[in-house]
Amino acid sequence: MLFALWDNRRIRNNVIQVLLFAGFAGLLFWLWSNTAANLAARGIRVGFDYLNRQANFPISESVLPYDPSDTFGWAYVIGVTNTAVISLTAIIISTFIGLVIALVRLSNNPLASKMAALFVGVIRNMPLIVQLLFWYALATTVLPAPRLAFNPLPGFYLSLRGLYVPAISLGPQAGPFAAACLAVLIAAVIMRRLAPISAWSLSKWVLLGGLAVAAVVLLRPSVSFPELKGFNFIGGLRLSPEFAALMLGLVLYTSVFISEVIRGGIEAVSRGQWEAGRALGLSERHVMFRIIIPQALRIIVPPMTSQYLSTVKNTTLALAVGYPELGLVVGTVINQTGQAIESISILLAVFLTISIAVSMFMNWYNAHVALVTR
Amino acid sequence: MRSKLLGVGFLLTSMLSAGLSPALAGPTLDAVKARGFLKCASSQGTVGFGAPDEKGYWRGLDVETCRAVAVAIFNDKDKVEFVPLSGQQRVPALQTGEIDILPRTFTWTLRRDANGLNFTTPNYYEFTGFMMPKALGVTKVEDMSGASVCVQTGSTTEVVANDVSKEHNLGLKPVVFENSSAVSQAFFSGRCDALITDAAALASIRATSAKNPDDYIIFPATRFMDALTPAVRHGDDQWLDIVNWSIQALIAGEQLGVTQANVSEMQKSEDPRVKRFLGVEPGNGAALGLDEKFAANIIAQLGNYGKMFDRNVGKDSPLKLERGANRLYSDGGLMFPLAFQ
């Protein structure tokens, strides 16, 4: 009887599925209960109530405002936004640089092509952490002290403390104005869909001019110049050496990988496409950007997703050069609170979320550029 | 990076260890005896407190505190393995049983104490200080307005830096690094105006990394002191006692005038306190589950606290720190010997 049941393929498969699932659930339960028992035995409190307590530790730079009197939860948010900003900036810049390197490497100029190949070979074969430390050490040894800052233009100062440039600050109407600009932009996009381009070309210039006048009149922008007061520069916009070293290292490293992905994609498009394009009388540039690259995208996008994901994860190396991304914040919180399991879980959850978001976007884009067969 | 790996490792060992290492559940002393040596945390290289010398032999005040416990158990100061740990790694390492004692310039704080750790006896009283180049002309905290400060994460100093900045309304600009070599490199390159950490660690960094140590000034960041104290895990009172009284043996030895040179001679002493201390009159060792001569052995192999201080951080060392608050209470310090009876 049992043998007869076992011989039935559907029943057999279902039984195996149920057993596997039970085994997996059992493993999870065992891990969970074991962890709880061990933590209780060692007198370690578990819970997320510490997130509402005052953090008290400083974070060197952040995109959103942060003060040590904010909570541990907000410190995590600062870490996440810093990670998101460096990831996003590095991904966008490296994609452009990667495209340029790929095009140079594919060019007919042997010198340019060989130089690009050498560049890719050198950067790709050195560990990222070494490059980051190199750029940071270079920045902190070559640049002068703040009192001897390099001052190429009025208001521009380059020193060990970073690059300071004049900042344009806007009046209190900046928020509503930005909202109005966004509304106009959306309206313009809709208009463009409706009207033929030639018809709205003039109105576009009128609109832009109107906006510029409105901006100056409404916002009364003022410029703040950085100046040396005491130990440091006050005022202006600042690019810290930590951020600069991290960005330089990440962008160079990522862009050479991206350039190889793009080059592979372009070379995979059949020669016949080039020849067909030329036969139609299109210029080389048109052939490249209108015919070859759209087809290459289908090949490029999936490996590009992996590169973007690596970039997001590589940002955790920033702690070596003192940039406060999420990993550094999590490490500090563990030390201040001792809540290692909760903090590491948050770190894992955040990276999982960012990575899944990136890959979902890339999958959507991949479907968008995929060859549609009718 | 390593701290993160360790964090994940902590997660995994917490999950798996109950089934795999029964030694954790039992008393630490039995586990250490069965293993044949002690495992102690050490710094990743703070000269004076814990750093290997040119021959790879670990030296320093924290290192020798740990050796004292090894002598108490094995009568051999070399039956210790030192595990260099960063500020972030050290607490999980102790909690998970990777190490038996955490003597690593570790400040006694309420939250650390409450969260799975027990502190033993302070082996160094310390203030947090700033180090700055003398060329900047600053000699006290109030003059530091707007300065950039290099801070190492994984310590209590980042909170102190913030407290000081708030208290005097200085607007200090912190630059936070993960390890001690990065933080001192950044400071000496001029990336920051000041470096903040324990004053003894500053003296250590100044003695080892500065091109010309005389170009740098160290001054207190606050008027508060911290007690650097070796810690053990919750839940093993016998182990807590053993570590406590091994450290006490060093301090009481100095108070009783027992030194490495005269320890065998002192065995003949008629002073009942010395007799009890050295185990001539038995009882102390048995009470702790140790050899009756454990205190005498510690002094014979390491000397008393005063000699240990001078040798590692005091007048006989490159750090040349004042004894200050670390003198015996009878000399006006905070080191207080308890009764060995």
Side-chain angles (χ1 to χ4, degrees):
Chain A
M1 172 65 191
L2 277 174
F3 283 113
L5 276 178
W6 191 246
D7 283 339
N8 181 326
R9 185 194 287 172
R10 239 185 77 207
I11 292 176
R12 188 174 63 217
N13 284 351
N14 282 337
V15 167
I16 291 174
Q17 288 291 332
V18 168
L19 285 179
L20 271 177
F21 179 76
F24 183 66
L27 184 71
L28 282 184
F29 177 75
W30 179 73
L31 285 174
W32 175 255
S33 57
N34 220 352
T35 309
N38 275 334
L39 290 172
R42 285 172 198 152
I44 301 171
R45 280 173 284 106
V46 186
F48 287 95
D49 51 336
Y50 72 99
L51 289 178
N52 289 322
R53 290 208 306 265
Q54 192 169 324
N56 282 328
F57 64 86
I59 294 179
S60 16
E61 56 186 298
S62 56
V63 183
L64 297 174
Y66 172 83
D67 185 87
S69 56
D70 290 326
T71 61
F72 283 111
W74 186 248
Y76 280 138
V77 173
I78 296 298
V80 173
T81 47
N82 279 353
T83 293
V85 165
I86 43 178
S87 306
L88 203 64
T89 322
I91 284 174
I92 292 170
I93 301 178
S94 0
T95 306
F96 280 106
I97 297 185
L99 178 64
V100 172
I101 298 172
L103 293 181
V104 170
R105 195 163 174 195
L106 287 170
S107 77
N108 293 325
N109 183 331
L111 183 66
S113 152
K114 285 280 177 326
M115 288 292 284
L118 182 71
F119 180 72
V120 169
V122 168
I123 299 284
R124 190 164 64 159
N125 289 309
M126 276 191 294
L128 176 56
I129 184 95
V130 178
Q131 298 189 35
L132 290 179
L133 291 172
F134 171 78
W135 291 118
Y136 189 62
L138 196 71
T140 51
T141 44
V142 168
L143 293 175
R147 287 175 199 188
L148 307 166
F150 182 56
N151 186 201
L153 290 168
F156 285 74
Y157 295 95
L158 183 64
S159 77
L160 268 173
R161 302 295 152 81
L163 176 67
Y164 284 79
V165 298
I168 298 169
S169 50
L170 304 174
Q173 283 89 5
F177 182 73
C181 283
L182 195 68
V184 169
L185 192 72
I186 292 168
V189 170
I190 296 168
M191 266 168 64
R192 181 171 176 166
R193 290 248 159 146
L194 299 177
I197 294 168
S198 54
W200 88 289
S201 180
L202 179 70
S203 60
K204 180 174 72 177
W205 291 114
V206 172
L207 195 71
L208 276 179
L211 272 179
V213 171
V216 173
V217 171
L218 269 178
L219 300 174
R220 273 176 258 112
S222 58
V223 181
S224 94
F225 286 94
E227 53 182 319
L228 187 60
K229 265 193 192 151
F231 296 103
N232 278 303
F233 291 94
I234 312 271
L237 271 180
R238 168 173 176 261
L239 180 71
S240 75
E242 289 78 30
F243 184 85
L246 173 66
M247 204 39 85
L248 197 59
L250 258 185
V251 162
L252 285 183
Y253 187 79
T254 311
S255 62
V256 297
F257 281 95
I258 286 180
S259 83
E260 287 298 272
V261 169
I262 294 177
R263 186 174 68 95
I266 291 174
E267 291 201 330
V269 177
S270 110
R271 297 291 305 165
Q273 297 290 321
W274 285 94
E275 285 152 9
R278 286 176 193 136
L280 286 171
L282 295 173
S283 70
E284 289 292 304
R285 201 165 60 88
H286 270 109
V287 177
M288 178 61 99
F289 286 98
R290 298 278 172 185
I291 296 176
I292 305 301
I293 288 190
Q295 296 184 70
L297 272 181
R298 287 183 290 124
I299 306 156
I300 292 171
V301 169
M304 200 76 118
T305 310
S306 308
Q307 289 306 325
Y308 289 173
L309 292 175
S310 309
T311 310
V312 171
K313 287 174 279 183
N314 282 341
T315 58
T316 52
L317 293 174
L319 61 84
V321 293
Y323 184 81
E325 46 68 56
L326 184 61
L328 188 70
V329 173
V330 164
T332 309
V333 172
I334 292 179
N335 181 62
Q336 297 294 335
T337 61
Q339 312 280 1
I341 294 207
E342 298 86 335
S343 300
I344 295 288
S345 310
I346 289 177
L347 184 72
L348 294 175
V350 166
F351 272 100
L352 194 63
T353 313
I354 295 181
S355 297
I356 286 178
V358 170
S359 53
M360 275 171 69
F361 172 78
M362 292 302 283
N363 285 344
W364 167 82
Y365 187 68
N366 192 27
H368 183 73
V369 297
L371 196 61
V372 183
T373 47
R374 295 194 176 91
Chain B
M1 203 61 227
R2 272 173 64 196
S3 65
K4 231 162 287 158
L5 286 180
L6 194 101
V8 174
F10 173 53
L11 201 69
L12 291 179
T13 43
S14 298
M15 287 170 166
L16 300 172
S17 58
L20 301 179
S21 62
L24 272 177
T28 314
L29 181 62
D30 292 345
V32 170
K33 278 184 172 164
R35 194 195 299 137
F37 59 90
L38 190 63
K39 283 177 101 174
C40 282
S42 78
S43 90
Q44 291 163 312
T46 308
V47 171
F49 286 86
D53 64 12
E54 62 273 16
K55 295 196 188 77
Y57 190 75
W58 283 89
R59 294 190 188 281
L61 193 70
D62 284 335
V63 162
E64 293 194 359
T65 305
C66 197
R67 292 192 190 281
V69 181
V71 174
I73 299 168
F74 298 111
N75 192 17
D76 183 348
K77 64 177 177 173
D78 291 326
K79 290 219 164 142
V80 194
E81 185 182 294
F82 292 99
V83 185
L85 294 172
S86 77
Q88 294 173 4
Q89 294 168 325
R90 56 190 177 179
V91 173
L94 181 64
Q95 287 171 333
T96 53
E98 197 195 327
I99 51 174
D100 306 312
I101 313 176
L102 171 50
R104 189 197 163 286
T105 54
F106 194 45
T107 305
W108 190 339
T109 71
L110 185 149
R111 290 189 198 168
R112 283 172 174 169
D113 203 347
N115 201 10
L117 304 185
N118 275 336
F119 284 85
T120 59
T121 302
N123 66 344
Y124 193 86
Y125 291 97
E126 173 68 306
F127 62 85
T128 304
F130 285 110
M131 175 155 70
M132 291 184 84
K134 275 184 186 161
L136 291 175
V138 173
T139 53
K140 57 181 193 296
V141 170
E142 289 78 4
D143 300 339
M144 290 183 64
S145 192
S148 303
V149 180
C150 281
V151 187
Q152 188 190 346
T153 180
S155 58
T156 48
T157 50
E158 46 203 326
V159 175
V160 175
N162 172 51
D163 291 350
V164 171
S165 181
K166 282 268 162 66
E167 185 187 349
H168 301 287
N169 200 14
L170 298 175
L172 298 180
K173 298 184 175 59
V175 188
V176 184
F177 293 88
E178 196 248 354
N179 71 60
S180 48
S181 62
V183 79
S184 68
Q185 192 232 327
F187 170 70
F188 286 112
S189 74
R191 171 65 188 88
C192 320
D193 300 303
L195 175 61
I196 184 171
T197 188
D198 296 340
L202 288 176
S204 166
I205 292 168
R206 183 171 65 172
T208 53
S209 308
K211 264 191 215 115
N212 182 5
D214 290 338
D215 290 348
Y216 296 90
I217 182 174
I218 294 173
F219 54 88
T222 70
R223 57 185 191 283
F224 301 105
M225 293 206 88
D226 286 323
L228 303 190
T229 313
V232 297
R233 270 185 299 285
H234 260 186
D236 190 343
D237 293 348
Q238 182 202 20
W239 186 244
L240 176 67
D241 292 341
I242 288 173
V243 177
N244 259 329
W245 287 95
S246 300
I247 300 171
Q248 268 298 325
L250 295 162
I251 300 168
E254 186 179 13
Q255 183 75 45
L256 294 170
V258 185
T259 65
Q260 204 163 7
N262 71 6
V263 64
S264 51
E265 200 179 309
M266 290 290 263
Q267 305 275 351
K268 301 184 207 92
S269 165
E270 286 305 311
D271 185 339
R273 279 171 304 179
V274 174
K275 282 167 92 172
R276 281 194 292 270
F277 177 74
L278 295 176
V280 179
E281 182 191 321
N284 287 346
L288 288 172
L290 297 173
D291 189 279
E292 285 298 346
K293 302 264 178 205
F294 81 94
N297 293 338
I298 288 173
I299 304 292
Q301 295 204 19
L302 296 162
N304 62 35
Y305 181 77
K307 278 280 178 292
M308 214 166 97
F309 187 97
D310 292 345
R311 181 167 64 223
N312 290 303
V313 295
K315 60 183 197 296
D316 302 334
S317 74
L319 272 63
K320 307 247 180 293
L321 293 170
E322 296 285 326
R323 201 60 202 269
N326 295 295
R327 285 175 298 195
L328 291 175
Y329 82 103
S330 49
D331 300 333
L334 292 168
M335 287 296 168
F336 191 88
L338 302 175
F340 270 71
Q341 62 193 56

